[in-house]
Amino acid sequence: MSSPIPLSPKPADVEARPPRLSLFELFVKFLGFGLLAFGGPAAQIAMLKRELVEGERWISPQRFNRLLAVMQVLPGPEAHELCVHLGMRARGRWGGLVAGLGFMLPGFVLMMALAWLYFRIDFDRGWVAAALFGVQAAVIALIVRAVEKIGRHALTDRRLWAIAAACAAAALAGVPFWLTLPAAGLVHAAAWAGRIRLVAVIVSLAAAAGVWAAQVAGGMAPPSFIGGAPDAPGEVAALLLFLSGLKAGLLTFGGAYTAIPFLRTDMVGRGWLGDGAFLDGLALSGVLPAPLIIFSTFVGYVAGGPLGALAITAGIFLPAFAFSMIFYDRLETVVDDERLKAALEGVAAGVTGLIAVTAAQLGWGLLSSAGPSWSGPGLGIAIGVVSLIVFFRWKSPFAAPVVLAAAGALAVLAT
C-alpha cells in the first residue's frame, strides 16, 4: 500500500512573504506604485494593501494593520514608510532603500520640473494672479479639512483636546514648538501614569520657558503673510535647508500635513520665501502622484534653487527611511509600549493645535492681502467655504486636484 500523498498547506498556514525579486525589479515595482500615487495617504495605503497584501501576499493582513498603526504614531509619511518596510521584507536594507526611492521618485521629478517652470510664468498677467489666489484659498480649505481628519484620530479624550488647545494658544503667543511639543508628550505620558504632581511640574516649567522664549528671547513670532511669487530662486545655504527638512521630518506625527507648521516657521518666518509661494507648493503637491510632503521640494527650490530642493527633500525623507531601516525588527513593539505610545499621542495632539493655528494664520493673511473689494476677500471666502464643503462631502482620491483646478478657474472667471 503506497504512502499517502501529503496535503499541500493551506494559504493561511504559509507565512506571507514577498516573491524573489532583484533590486532592479523591486525598484521598478515601487516606481510603478509611485506613478499611481494620487489621492493622498489613504489612497496610497489602500493601493499598497490591495496589490501587496491582498493580491501578492507580501505580508499578512493582520501584521500589515499592526505596522500601519505604528507608522501612524511615528514621524514621516505612512505610505512611504510602508514601502520602505515592505522593500526590506523583500531584499533587506538595500531593498528598503530602492523601494522607498522608487515610490518617491515620480513625485520628486515632477515637482522639480514644476518648480523650474514656476519661475518662467508671467505672473504680471492678471488671470494668472487670480488663478493662484483661487487655488491658495482652496489649499487653505484643504488644510482645514486635514485638521479635522487628524484631530478625529488624535484628539480622543478631553485631556488631548486640552493639550491641543494649550499648544495652539502657545503658538499664537509666539512660544516655539520645540518647547511646546516635548512638554505635550511628557504631560500626556505623566497624566496617563496618574502622576498628577509631575504634570503640574512639567506644565509650570514649560510655561516659564515659554514666557522666557516669547518675551525675553523674542520667541518665534508668527510670520506675516507675503503674497505673490518671487522673480528668482533664493540663495539659502543647502545645509540650512537640509536641517530645516530634517527637523520637519522628525516631527511629522500623524501624516504629511503635520510638517506644514514646522516648515512654515522656518521658511516664511526666516524670510526665505512668502506665504504665497508656500501655498503654491502645497497646491502643486496636491495634484501630483506623491506624498503631500513632496511640497518641501518646491519650497526648497524657491528658497535655494535646485541644490536647495535636493537638500530639503533629503532631510525631510531621511527619518522616513531611517525608522524603517534601522528599527525594522522592533517597530511593532511601539504599539505595545504604552508609555511611549502615550507620549507620542500627546505630541500628536499638540501638532494638531499647531496646524489649526497655521491654517487660521494663512487664511487671515490671504484675505488681508487680497484688498477690500468683493473680488478679493469676498471671493476668497466664497471659494474657501465651497471648497471645504466639497472636501467634506466628496470622498475621492481625485477631490484635491479637481477642487484646486476648479477654484483657480472660478477666480479667473470672477475677476
Side-chain angles (χ1 to χ4, degrees):
M1 183 174 174
S2 61
S3 301
I5 300 174
L7 297 175
S8 300
K10 297 178 181 180
D13 299 328
V14 181
E15 183 183 2
R17 297 294 302 177
R20 296 180 65 88
L21 298 172
S22 68
L23 288 176
F24 179 74
E25 289 172 330
L26 192 64
F27 174 79
V28 171
K29 189 171 194 66
F30 281 88
L31 181 69
F33 291 140
L35 289 168
L36 299 173
F38 292 98
Q44 294 159 8
I45 292 168
M47 174 180 63
L48 294 172
K49 186 175 183 179
R50 182 178 63 252
E51 297 295 329
L52 301 183
V53 181
E54 299 168 356
E56 300 183 21
R57 289 184 53 78
W58 283 39
I59 188 173
S60 69
Q62 296 78 14
R63 190 172 185 189
F64 181 86
N65 292 336
R66 281 178 61 83
L67 283 171
L68 180 57
V70 174
M71 303 308 181
Q72 288 173 336
V73 298
L74 289 178
E78 305 99 312
H80 181 269
E81 288 176 325
L82 285 170
C83 289
V84 175
H85 188 92
L86 292 169
M88 286 192 67
R89 283 183 64 82
R91 288 299 305 266
R93 287 188 169 84
W94 281 109
L97 179 63
V98 301
L101 289 175
F103 185 70
M104 66 173 285
L105 187 60
F108 172 74
V109 172
L110 288 171
M111 185 59 86
M112 286 286 284
L114 290 174
W116 175 84
L117 184 63
Y118 184 74
F119 290 101
R120 283 150 182 83
I121 296 175
D122 183 8
F123 289 98
D124 291 333
R125 296 183 181 181
W127 69 269
V128 176
L132 285 178
F133 175 77
V135 170
Q136 290 169 357
V139 168
I140 294 170
L142 187 63
I143 299 173
V144 173
R145 175 70 174 106
V147 172
E148 187 276 333
K149 291 173 66 176
I150 295 169
R152 194 187 326 135
H153 295 288
L155 309 181
T156 55
D157 57 43
R158 294 181 180 178
R159 191 163 54 206
L160 291 169
W161 273 96
I163 290 173
C167 288
L172 289 173
V175 179
F177 61 80
W178 49 263
L179 283 175
T180 55
L181 293 185
L186 292 173
V187 163
H188 193 252
W192 172 85
R195 304 181 65 180
I196 305 304
R197 291 183 180 178
L198 181 58
V199 170
V201 171
I202 296 171
V203 170
S204 300
L205 291 175
V211 170
W212 173 82
Q215 296 184 357
V216 179
M220 292 295 290
S224 57
F225 190 97
I226 305 173
D231 296 327
E235 298 179 355
V236 180
L239 178 59
L240 290 176
L241 290 169
F242 172 80
L243 293 175
S244 178
L246 181 62
K247 178 170 58 179
L250 288 168
L251 294 170
T252 53
F253 294 91
Y257 282 96
T258 58
I260 292 173
F262 311 126
L263 282 180
R264 181 173 178 259
T265 296
D266 275 356
M267 309 298 288
V268 181
R270 296 183 180 185
W272 294 348
L273 75 162
D275 269 324
F278 189 83
L279 286 171
D280 292 339
L282 284 169
L284 292 173
S285 67
V287 301
L288 294 181
L292 180 95
I293 200 70
I294 206 69
F295 84 90
S296 61
T297 302
F298 179 88
V299 298
Y301 194 108
V302 174
L307 187 59
L310 287 169
I312 198 170
T313 305
I316 209 162
F317 275 94
L318 182 59
F321 280 99
F323 279 109
S324 287
M325 295 177 67
I326 297 175
F327 303 108
Y328 171 74
D329 295 322
R330 302 177 182 87
L331 280 177
E332 292 179 66
T333 61
V334 172
V335 296
D336 297 325
D337 190 326
E338 294 297 333
R339 292 172 299 180
L340 178 58
K341 185 179 178 182
L344 293 175
E345 286 174 347
V347 174
V351 171
T352 305
L354 295 185
I355 305 174
V357 168
T358 301
Q361 290 173 343
L362 286 170
W364 178 259
L366 181 64
L367 297 179
S368 300
S369 68
S373 67
W374 180 88
S375 61
L379 179 61
I381 292 172
I383 291 176
V385 170
V386 172
S387 299
L388 187 59
I389 292 172
V390 174
F391 286 136
F392 268 98
R393 297 182 65 87
W394 189 20
K395 309 287 193 301
S396 168
F398 302 103
V402 171
V403 171
L404 294 178
L410 179 61
V412 171
L413 293 173
T415 56

